[in-house]
């Protein structure tokens, strides 16, 4: 990789191609470009496979991509936490089971316990249920982290135990039953026509996003200037701003392009007393609430990892645990905090997953641990520790979910899906190893 | 040189699985003094100073700093007493850049509580310009640096935070001739500023040049401590090899 700090010799600059120059001056991560290209290939591949083989391309439609965004949320939220766990050379195999267990607890609280005391449909029910779920996730995570850090039991064993224990505990609490229906407000957090913020709301988010992109670029430039660090050329800054804002606006347009289904419109019109014209009414979904939660988590976790001492210590422990200890970092307590955070995020994912389903079953989240780990690893988190990014994990989650959805859309059966997902994981990690070897 | 020693290690012991790595060792260090620790591999030099730097917890004995008894149970405690250590292994997080390593555990933060990377990079550039003017790779992970450059990051970390007591465990082991000279100059400069320095090295001649006193350890025990003017290189070598102080025998 090129670096503007090293005094590049004039001859090197001349030999450098136009594309390499472009990469150097924009300081774009080539790995990120590679992942985006892979994702584009997957999307276009599925779409045209469907078009040619089945007669219709269902992948690149607003409807499918909107659903994809909702389906990615739960795995994506957990993947951001798994990045920290894997960076510090641990693993968490228990997240899927824990998600199921927390869903059962939240289901029990909002369906079986609270209505007795507060009355059905009380506005506090969903808040208390979520609070209970997040608290539960944090405590369970912290407990596992404590066993790993202070009991010095390997994380693999502790969380393998957790995988079985939490799944079993979920069945015990619910006695194998499905707990339904969840609170009406709670259900909105899982998406659906009413669990999305609509046209206007989405544009507000989109515009805020554009402002944020611009602010980041301008503030970054100003800061570099203050400390006399090398600046990107103005054209590169403009280009990045345009790409960033373009991506935000494009996503907003896409989310707004998916209308409510006719049946829902009919019900809605009847409830509001509106006459439905023969051509129908176009009501946009806009961003789904779980997607907004995922965006919020991603931003918060990115800030945590890049701008706080906590994030810096996570990387330091991953790079050299002994050095971190000698630098005065309490590595054991950090481990407890990292697993507590993983548990907290699992709690959020559990809210999204059970709200989307509209019920809580003990089987919720089965195999999620594997998808979450795969998302983090495909996203460039190194199992050797010390390396990984939040945005990478989100991209990894989108790749995993795209594969899943795409294969369902073109009619591959479950057996082939497993073969493909498994193979992609191995190939992706191998490509990453090759990339890192060459970039050194 | 003041009368109260800067550091007094009194009767320090530590064992690992029944082996006495440090066996009732006492040693002191004054401000503006360099004390060298010599001995074979496994003599207990590194272990002894790791007790002072908080990496190991001693089984017995006392540490006194500035005439007051100090409890050092963690690297953080040692830092609170202005003790800085350059470890033999350098103790750098290879995946982080020079600035992150330099400020690891003591990051500069903005008023909002966020780490201030730009300011840390600027400070790092400043101190590296003083220690190693050839150092340019500020943005790269330290795994991409040469042995000498990594060493200068470790040295910069110890020097930056106004240490009063400096522990250097083989600071020149990975360095070339020119860089070794720079470290020697730095040690003299820091000594003149009134720091107390423990220096561990295998290079007896270098130690005779840099140190005021040398202490020799063998098998976890202190063989003897002598002022460099009073002994010859051969005396020291025989202390290291035979484990006996020739002057005491005479």
């Amino acid at each position: 990789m090129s670096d503007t700090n090293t005094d590049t010799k004039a001859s090197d600059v001349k030999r450098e191609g136009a594309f390499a120059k472009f990469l150097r001056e924009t300081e774009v991560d080539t790995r990120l470009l590679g992942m985006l290209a892979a994702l584009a290939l997957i999307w276009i591949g599925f779409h045209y496979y469907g078009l040619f083989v089945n007669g219709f391309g269902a992948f690149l439609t607003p409807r499918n991509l909107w659903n994809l965004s909702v389906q990615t949320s739960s795995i994506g939220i957990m993947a951001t936490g798994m990045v920290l766990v894997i960076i510090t050379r641990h693993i968490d195999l228990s997240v899927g089971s824990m998600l199921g267990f927390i869903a059962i607890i939240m289901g029990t609280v909002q369906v079986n316990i609270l209505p007795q005391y507060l009355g059905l449909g009380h506005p506090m029910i969903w808040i208390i249920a979520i609070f209970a779920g997040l608290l539960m996730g944090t405590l369970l995570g912290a407990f596992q982290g404590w066993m790993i850090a202070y009991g010095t039991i390997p994380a693999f064993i502790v969380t393998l135990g957790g995988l079985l224990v939490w799944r079993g505990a979920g069945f015990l609490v619910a006695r194998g039953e499905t707990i339904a229906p969840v609170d009406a407000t709670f259900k909105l957090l899982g998406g659906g026509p009413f669990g999305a913020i609509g046209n206007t709301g989405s544009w507000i988010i989109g515009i805020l996003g554009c402002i944020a992109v611009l602010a980041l670029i301008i503030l970054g430039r100003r800061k570099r200037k203050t400390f006399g660090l090398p600046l990107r050329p103005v054209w590169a800054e403009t280009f990045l701003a345009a790409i960033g804002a373009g991506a935000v606006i494009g996503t907003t347009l896409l989310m707004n392009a998916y209308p409510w289904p006719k049946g829902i419109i009919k019900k809605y019109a009847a409830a509001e007393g509106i006459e439905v014209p023969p051509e129908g009414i176009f009501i946009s979904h806009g961003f789904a609430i779980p997607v907004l939660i995922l965006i919020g988590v991603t931003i918060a976790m990115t800030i945590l990892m890049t701008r706080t001492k906590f994030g810096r210590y996570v990387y330091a422990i991953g790079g050299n645990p002994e050095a971190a200890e000698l630098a005065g970092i309490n590595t054991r307590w950090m481990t407890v905090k990292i697993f507590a955070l993983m548990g907290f995020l699992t709690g959020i994912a559990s809210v999204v997953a059970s709200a989307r389903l509209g019920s809580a079953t003990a089987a919720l989240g089965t195999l999620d641990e594997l998808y979450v780990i795969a998302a983090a690893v495909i996203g460039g988190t190194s199992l050797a520790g010390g390396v990984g990014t939040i945005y990478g994990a989100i991209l990894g989650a989108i790749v995993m979910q795209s594969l899943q959805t795409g294969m369902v859309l073109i009619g591959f059966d479950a057996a082939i899906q497993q073969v493909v997902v498994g193979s992609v994981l191995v190939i992706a990690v191998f490509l990453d190893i090759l990339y890192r070897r060459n970039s050194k | 040189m003041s009368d109260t020693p800067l550091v007094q290690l009194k009767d320090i012991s530590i064992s690992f699985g029944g082996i006495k790595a440090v066996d009732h060792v006492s040693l002191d260090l004054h401000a503006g003094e360099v004390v060298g620790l010599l001995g074979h591999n496994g003599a207990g030099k590194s272990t002894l100073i790791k007790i002072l730097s908080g990496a190991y917890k001693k089984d017995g004995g006392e540490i006194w700093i500035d005439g007051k008894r100090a409890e050092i149970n963690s690297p953080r405690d040692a830092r609170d007493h202005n003790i800085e250590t350059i470890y033999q292994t350098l103790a750098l997080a290879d995946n982080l850049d020079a600035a992150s390593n330099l400020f690891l555990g003591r990051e500069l933060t903005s008023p909002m509580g966020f780490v201030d990377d730009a300011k840390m990079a600027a400070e790092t550039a400043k101190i590296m310009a003083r220690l190693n003017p050839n150092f340019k790779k500020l943005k790269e992970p330290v795994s991409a640096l040469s042995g000498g450059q990594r060493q200068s990051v470790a040295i910069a970390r110890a020097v930056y935070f106004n240490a009063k007591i400096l522990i250097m465990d083989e600071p020149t082991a990975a360095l070339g001739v020119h860089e070794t000279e720079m470290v020697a100059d730095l040690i003299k400069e820091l000594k003149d500023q009134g720091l107390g320095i423990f220096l561990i090295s295998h290079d007896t001649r270098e130690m005779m040049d840099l140190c005021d006193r040398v202490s020799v350890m063998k098998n976890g025990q202190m063989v003897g401590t002598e002022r460099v003017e009073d002994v010859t290189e051969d005396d020291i070598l025989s202390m290291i090899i035979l484990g006996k102080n020739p002057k005491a025998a005479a």
Side-chain angles (χ1 to χ4, degrees):
Chain A
M1 257 204 272
S2 50
D3 191 309
T4 41
N5 273 337
T6 48
D7 37 352
T8 325
K9 284 174 201 139
S11 59
D12 288 342
V13 176
K14 266 177 209 154
R15 251 188 282 125
E16 181 180 66
F19 186 63
K21 178 171 186 284
F22 168 81
L23 287 180
R24 183 173 55 80
E25 301 212 320
T26 51
E27 296 175 22
V28 170
D29 182 2
T30 45
R31 214 179 163 285
L32 175 68
L33 277 187
M35 287 204 58
L36 288 174
L39 192 61
L41 266 181
I42 291 172
W43 285 15
I44 294 168
F46 277 124
H47 188 76
Y48 284 96
Y49 184 94
L51 195 63
F52 292 130
V53 176
N54 302 340
F56 63 97
F59 201 97
L60 293 176
T61 57
R63 177 178 173 186
N64 180 55
L65 294 176
W66 188 87
N67 277 322
L68 181 69
S69 74
V70 177
Q71 287 159 353
T72 307
S73 303
S74 168
I75 298 286
I77 291 166
M78 288 190 283
T80 61
M82 192 60 80
V83 171
L84 277 67
V85 171
I86 297 180
I87 285 179
T88 50
R89 307 183 183 187
H90 293 299
I91 197 78
D92 192 338
L93 300 173
S94 70
V95 291
S97 297
M98 204 188 276
L99 182 144
F101 179 66
I102 295 169
I104 290 290
I105 296 296
M106 288 190 298
T108 309
V109 167
Q110 62 184 311
V111 176
N112 298 339
I113 299 176
L114 287 179
Q116 289 176 29
Y117 301 101
L118 299 175
L120 203 62
H122 190 279
M124 282 302 285
I125 287 182
W126 69 280
I127 297 173
I128 297 174
I130 289 174
F131 180 77
L134 299 185
L135 183 70
M136 182 65 89
T138 311
L139 291 178
L140 296 183
F143 177 57
Q144 293 192 144
W146 174 77
M147 283 192 285
I148 294 160
Y150 292 93
T152 62
I153 313 170
F156 186 90
I157 298 301
V158 169
T159 59
L160 182 62
L163 171 92
L164 296 167
V165 170
W166 308 131
R167 184 66 70 200
F171 274 103
L172 284 178
V173 171
R175 296 179 304 278
E177 293 165 13
T178 295
I179 302 170
V182 295
D183 181 82
T185 316
F186 184 86
K187 197 173 185 320
L188 297 183
L189 301 177
F194 300 108
I197 57 172
N199 196 27
T200 318
S202 298
W203 277 115
I204 294 173
I205 296 283
I207 289 166
L208 285 178
C210 290
I211 294 173
V213 167
L214 286 178
L216 277 179
I217 287 181
I218 293 170
L219 287 179
R221 191 176 175 83
R222 193 176 294 166
K223 187 140 208 183
R224 286 184 184 209
K225 234 177 216 166
T226 319
F227 288 98
L229 300 171
L231 299 175
R232 287 191 196 111
V234 175
W235 69 262
E237 304 267 27
T238 318
F239 176 79
L240 287 177
I243 289 285
V248 172
I249 292 171
T251 312
T252 312
L253 282 171
L254 179 70
M255 293 296 157
N256 281 337
Y258 176 41
W260 284 12
K262 283 200 185 88
I264 302 269
I265 297 261
K266 227 179 256 170
K267 268 192 219 162
Y268 175 77
E272 300 278 315
I274 311 170
E275 189 80 12
V276 182
E279 71 274 13
I281 310 175
F282 190 96
I283 302 180
S284 298
H285 274 80
F287 286 104
I289 293 175
V291 176
L292 295 180
I293 296 175
L294 175 63
I295 294 172
V297 166
T298 306
I299 293 171
M301 292 295 286
T302 303
I303 292 172
L304 181 75
M305 287 304 278
T306 56
R307 309 243 35 97
T308 69
K309 289 186 174 193
F310 180 88
R312 189 59 47 85
Y313 296 169
V314 168
Y315 282 115
I317 292 171
N320 187 343
E322 197 196 346
E325 185 91 49
L326 290 175
I329 298 167
N330 190 339
T331 52
R332 292 182 171 195
W333 183 231
M334 281 291 295
T335 302
V336 174
K337 286 199 268 190
I338 289 164
F339 275 87
L341 178 61
M342 180 74 247
F344 176 75
L345 292 167
T346 307
I348 298 180
S350 181
V351 170
V352 168
S354 64
R356 178 153 180 266
L357 196 64
S359 63
T361 72
L364 196 64
T366 305
L367 287 184
D368 271 9
E369 57 280 345
L370 299 183
Y371 292 119
V372 169
I373 292 169
V377 171
I378 288 178
T381 309
S382 162
L383 286 165
V387 179
T389 55
I390 300 297
Y391 69 79
I394 298 294
L395 272 176
I398 298 174
V399 167
M400 290 298 291
Q401 197 58 50
S402 299
L403 283 174
Q404 289 279 53
T405 317
M407 286 189 292
V408 172
L409 282 181
I410 60 177
F412 279 4
D413 63 28
I416 302 180
Q417 290 178 29
Q418 289 179 348
V419 171
V420 172
V421 170
S423 312
V424 166
L425 174 63
V426 175
I427 293 168
V429 171
F430 182 59
L431 287 178
D432 191 45
I433 289 171
L434 288 184
Y435 170 81
R436 282 180 210 278
R437 201 180 290 158
N438 290 334
S439 70
K440 262 188 186 156
Chain B
M1 226 180 276
S2 66
D3 289 4
T4 332
L6 194 54
V7 181
Q8 288 167 285
L9 300 172
K10 296 183 179 175
D11 212 24
I12 302 283
S13 296
I14 187 171
S15 26
F16 297 106
I19 295 166
K20 288 185 173 169
V22 175
D23 191 5
H24 299 285
V25 169
S26 298
L27 185 62
D28 54 13
L29 174 72
H30 290 81
E33 185 189 34
V34 181
V35 170
L37 273 174
L38 284 156
H40 282 304
N41 289 328
K45 315 171 303 259
S46 289
T47 312
L48 178 68
I49 58 110
K50 276 188 175 172
I51 290 172
L52 181 60
S53 69
Y56 292 150
K57 276 180 205 169
K58 60 190 184 310
D59 296 335
E62 292 173 4
I63 300 172
W64 290 61
I65 308 242
D66 268 338
K68 275 176 255 158
R69 186 160 176 192
E71 279 303 323
I72 295 178
N73 294 315
S74 71
R76 199 167 274 271
D77 291 345
R79 284 183 169 187
D80 291 343
H81 284 101
N82 296 316
I83 301 171
E84 293 290 336
T85 312
I86 299 161
Y87 293 96
Q88 197 174 356
T89 56
L90 303 184
L92 299 173
D94 279 340
N95 53 337
L96 300 180
D97 62 15
S100 303
N101 268 295
L102 205 156
F103 289 94
L104 189 59
R106 294 178 280 205
E107 286 76 9
L108 301 179
T109 49
S110 64
M112 298 270 286
F114 292 122
V115 290
D116 196 339
D117 278 321
K119 191 165 179 196
M120 288 194 280
E123 286 292 303
T124 307
K126 234 186 268 170
I127 184 151
M128 293 315 288
R130 213 187 99 204
L131 289 179
N132 185 350
N134 299 323
F135 193 94
K136 291 274 160 41
K137 294 181 173 173
L138 281 168
K139 281 278 172 194
E140 276 165 66
V142 294
S143 59
L145 305 182
S146 71
Q149 289 172 327
R150 290 161 57 83
Q151 191 92 46
S152 34
V153 175
I155 293 175
R157 173 163 65 183
V159 174
Y160 180 81
F161 293 95
N162 300 319
K164 275 203 280 182
I165 301 152
L166 195 57
I167 300 169
M168 303 173 109
D169 193 351
E170 309 225 12
T172 55
L175 301 185
V177 180
H178 178 65
E179 288 157 315
T180 305
E181 252 170 51
M182 281 176 50
V183 172
D185 289 344
L186 178 70
I187 290 174
K188 284 172 191 155
E189 188 189 324
L190 294 172
K191 180 186 150 172
D192 291 341
Q193 289 172 15
L195 274 76
I197 300 173
F198 278 122
L199 183 61
I200 294 184
S201 172
H202 281 110
D203 187 341
T204 321
R205 181 161 304 151
E206 182 189 61
M207 294 290 258
M208 297 288 281
D209 277 350
L210 291 173
C211 299
D212 299 297
R213 288 184 295 150
V214 287
S215 294
V216 178
M217 288 182 72
K218 188 177 167 81
N219 298 334
Q221 287 171 330
M222 182 62 75
V223 177
T225 304
E226 295 296 337
R227 301 186 62 80
V228 285
E229 306 90 277
D230 304 341
V231 283
T232 62
E233 216 178 309
D234 285 345
D235 290 338
I236 294 176
L237 281 175
S238 76
M239 281 164 84
I240 295 172
I241 295 163
L242 301 172
K244 282 183 200 142
N245 191 339
K247 291 182 68 188

